[in-house]
């Protein structure tokens, strides 16, 4: 059974976003779901500009801005007449601002006199040296040479890096990565090493993304190790961009990925994670956390502090008789069971709530949640695509102020689908 995916409580009062939660639905400052897939980020001054494709507007380029990587303001479509533009990225090779993205298996370039808005089509780019069809545009700015580079993957299984000329045209090929069916390239530099991250070609299905390294942009590229455990399939995401935060205390490298649904539609979410980077070992390892943030001034990554926990042992279990595990701290529930948490404290504004549970087979069913007197339950996987995988599932809800809320947790799906529920947890807001 497919439940209604919009929960009235979720779209209510706004509050500042305190944490990055990989796989969760993220909202902009107007309370709307962020819609910027396959994107990249450019920092100018103290402001970050995130541009990506809008799934709700036929892949028109959409832009958001933020000063903390948490709270994003929707700046609207950047070229309202342009649709079908996949994975747009920004560059500034001259006095103008440029957008490059994939359209009809070629690279389309657009130009504007300002960062935000007013982009118009310049040309459909035929990448040198051969006019192959290309996809999955990426972008890299090399500080040492003050040069922008366009990354693309080709239908003939070649990842290509091309210099962007000072007039905005795409110039000579710097290097290529061959030997595998790769796409979704992203590039960053650390400790004298260039790190090139790519995805395999598996459509909308996630796969183990890999990293290759070189000491020069001209290559050769070597390696091919996974950036996350093989079984995690890059935490159900695909690479889109790598962002470097040069803080006063440390430099932090961030992975930006898309958690695509089966069609790359508006139901897709985002997976951003800090990376452990070793130039000596030439490795990149994603550091998975259910909730985290980075101080854009210091570069320090931090995690939430638990404020209050509602344990399953104190909740009301209804309908079928559910079994408690041997540790006595969680309940295993199946289809038809429900657990109700009463007297839950809310703020009246949107807040993070972590649902503490795992599923025996996350693809075999759905856990759902009902807030207070809502008539219809909501699939938790519609609020966070990591539901059931990692034991901690953050979602954003709006609860009534005070200790007056009830959250009902239940299960639907195949008869063998089973969920172990430990409780729910709230965090200090800072």
């Amino acid at each position: 059974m497919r439940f209604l995916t919009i929960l009235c409580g979720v779209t209510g009062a706004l509050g500042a976003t305190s944490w990055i939660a990989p796989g969760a639905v993220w909202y902009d400052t107007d309370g709307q779901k962020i819609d910027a897939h396959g994107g990249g980020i450019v920092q100018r001054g103290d402001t970050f500009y995130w541009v990506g494709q809008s799934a709700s507007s036929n892949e028109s380029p959409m832009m958001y801005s933020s000063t903390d990587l948490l709270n994003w303001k929707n700046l609207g479509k950047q070229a309202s007449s342009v649709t079908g533009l996949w994975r747009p990225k920004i560059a500034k090779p001259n006095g103008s601002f440029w957008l490059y993205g994939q359209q009809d298996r070629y690279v389309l370039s657009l130009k504007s006199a300002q960062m935000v808005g007013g982009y118009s089509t310049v040309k459909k780019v035929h990448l040198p040296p051969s006019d192959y069809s290309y996809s999955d545009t990426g972008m890299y700015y090399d500080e040492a040479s003050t040069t922008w580079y366009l990354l693309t993957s080709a239908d003939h299984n070649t990842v290509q890096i091309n210099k962007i000329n000072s007039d905005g045209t795409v110039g000579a090929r710097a290097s290529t990565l061959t030997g595998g069916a790769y796409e979704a390239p992203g590039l960053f530099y650390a400790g004298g090493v260039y790190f090139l991250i790519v995805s395999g070609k598996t459509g909308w299905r996630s796969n183990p993304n890999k990293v290759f390294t070189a000491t020069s942009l001209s290559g050769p590229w070597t390696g091919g190790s996974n950036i996350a455990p093989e079984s995690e399939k890059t935490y159900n995401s695909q690479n889109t961009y790598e962002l470097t935060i040069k803080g006063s205390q440390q430099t932090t490298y961030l992975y930006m990925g898309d958690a695509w649904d089966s069609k790359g539609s508006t139901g897709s979410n985002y997976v951003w994670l800090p990376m452990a980077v070793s130039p000596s070992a030439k490795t990149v390892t994603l550091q998975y956390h259910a909730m985290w943030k980075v101080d854009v001034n210091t570069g320090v990554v931090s995690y939430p502090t638990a404020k209050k926990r509602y344990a399953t042992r104190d909740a009301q279990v209804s309908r079928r008789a559910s079994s408690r595990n041997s540790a006595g701290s969680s309940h295993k529930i199946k289809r038809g069971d429900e657990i109700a948490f009463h007297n839950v404290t809310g703020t009246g504004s949107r807040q993070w709530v972590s649902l503490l549970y795992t599923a025996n087979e996350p693809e075999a069913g759905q856990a759902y949640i009902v807030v207070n007197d809502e008539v219809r339950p909501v699939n938790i996987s519609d609020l966070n695509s990591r539901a059931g995988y990692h034991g901690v599932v953050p979602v954003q809800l709006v609860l009534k102020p005070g200790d007056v809320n009830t959250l009902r947790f239940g299960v639907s799906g195949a008869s063998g689908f089973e969920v172990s529920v430990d409780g729910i947890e709230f965090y200090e807001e800072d």
Side-chain angles (χ1 to χ4, degrees):
M1 178 180 179
R2 189 72 173 166
F3 290 120
L4 186 70
T5 62
I6 299 297
L7 183 65
C8 295
V10 173
T11 56
L14 300 180
T17 298
S18 303
W19 303 101
I20 294 171
V25 174
W26 299 354
Y27 301 96
D28 63 23
T29 54
D30 294 322
Q32 302 301 310
K33 185 178 180 181
I34 293 176
D35 191 15
H37 302 282
I41 289 178
V42 171
Q43 183 178 5
R44 290 185 63 79
D46 63 355
T47 302
F48 297 89
Y49 296 89
W50 174 10
V51 65
Q53 70 201 46
S54 170
S56 64
S57 300
N58 197 21
E59 281 67 57
S60 181
M62 187 78 77
M63 187 181 290
Y64 296 80
S65 67
S66 174
T67 57
D68 58 10
L69 298 179
L70 296 169
N71 298 279
W72 293 93
K73 179 181 179 181
N74 187 349
L75 303 178
K77 298 178 184 178
Q78 299 304 292
S80 57
S81 62
V82 175
T83 58
L85 188 71
W86 297 82
R87 293 181 173 267
K89 305 291 191 299
I90 294 178
K92 196 178 188 303
N94 50 42
S96 299
F97 296 86
W98 292 72
L99 273 176
Y100 300 84
Q102 172 204 341
Q103 187 188 66
D104 299 330
R105 311 304 287 176
Y106 285 94
V107 174
L108 187 70
S109 64
L110 302 89
K111 183 173 69 172
S112 176
Q114 62 272 342
M115 170 70 84
V116 182
Y119 286 88
S120 58
T121 301
V122 176
K123 64 181 300 185
K124 186 170 288 188
V125 179
H126 294 241
L127 293 177
S130 304
D131 183 22
Y132 289 107
S133 59
Y134 285 81
S135 64
D136 284 11
T137 46
M139 187 65 63
Y140 173 68
Y141 177 67
D142 186 49
E143 290 187 346
S145 62
T146 64
T147 302
W148 294 84
Y149 288 89
L150 183 70
L151 286 62
T152 54
S153 56
D155 288 342
H156 60 294
N157 290 339
T158 298
V159 174
Q160 181 163 309
I161 301 174
N162 283 77
K163 177 182 177 181
I164 297 177
N165 296 324
S166 59
D167 62 357
T169 59
V170 178
R173 184 170 65 183
S175 65
T176 61
L177 172 66
T178 58
Y182 301 126
E183 62 183 7
L187 184 64
F188 71 100
Y189 179 80
V193 178
Y194 292 91
F195 292 84
L196 176 63
I197 295 178
V198 293
S199 163
K201 291 185 176 181
T202 53
W204 301 116
R205 299 180 305 278
S206 57
N207 58 69
N209 288 199
K210 300 180 181 298
V211 61
F212 294 84
T213 62
T215 55
S216 168
L217 279 173
S218 60
W221 298 95
T222 60
S225 60
N226 295 335
I227 63 174
E230 181 97 12
S231 61
E232 293 289 352
K233 297 182 179 178
T234 325
Y235 303 108
N236 290 347
S237 72
Q238 182 186 45
N239 180 61
T240 180
Y241 194 74
E242 278 62 52
L243 178 65
T244 299
I245 303 295
K246 293 185 176 180
S248 60
Q249 297 184 31
Q250 66 185 57
T251 297
T252 299
Y253 305 95
L254 305 182
Y255 164 88
M256 293 173 55
D258 282 289
W260 297 113
D261 65 8
S262 61
K263 298 180 180 179
S265 72
T266 55
S268 303
N269 296 325
Y270 310 96
V271 171
W272 292 6
L273 292 167
M275 300 185 289
V277 179
S278 174
S280 58
K282 297 183 178 179
T283 59
V284 170
T285 304
L286 300 188
Q287 299 177 302
Y288 186 85
H289 300 279
M291 300 174 72
W292 65 279
K293 66 180 176 182
V294 58
D295 187 311
V296 298
N297 296 311
T298 65
V300 174
V301 175
S302 60
Y303 316 100
T305 300
K307 180 180 180 180
K308 190 170 185 179
R309 179 169 178 154
Y310 299 82
T312 304
R313 62 176 176 268
D314 300 322
Q316 178 183 349
V317 181
S318 60
R319 302 173 73 172
R320 290 188 190 178
S322 298
S323 62
R324 188 186 300 273
N325 71 7
S326 58
S329 60
S330 67
H331 273 290
K332 291 183 179 180
I333 63 173
K334 299 180 179 181
R335 186 175 61 191
D337 297 336
E338 281 193 345
I339 297 177
F341 298 90
H342 298 287
N343 303 319
V344 175
T345 304
T347 64
S349 297
R350 182 177 293 128
Q351 61 191 114
W352 284 108
V353 181
S354 278
L355 309 173
L356 310 178
Y357 77 96
T358 55
N360 61 342
E361 296 181 57
E363 306 298 326
Q366 296 278 357
Y368 65 81
I369 188 171
V370 179
V371 177
N372 294 323
D373 299 324
E374 294 298 325
V375 176
R376 294 180 181 272
V378 175
N379 285 338
I380 295 170
S381 60
D382 291 328
L383 303 177
N384 189 321
S385 55
R386 299 297 300 153
Y389 287 93
H390 269 274
V392 180
V393 187
V395 298
Q396 292 188 77
L397 302 175
V398 176
L399 306 180
K400 298 175 183 177
D403 303 333
V404 296
N405 297 277
T406 296
L407 301 184
R408 288 171 26 228
F409 187 102
V411 171
S412 67
S415 58
F417 181 60
E418 187 176 74
V419 169
S420 294
V421 185
D422 289 327
I424 58 177
E425 197 164 58
F426 292 78
Y427 301 96
E428 299 288 351
E429 299 291 334
D430 55 13

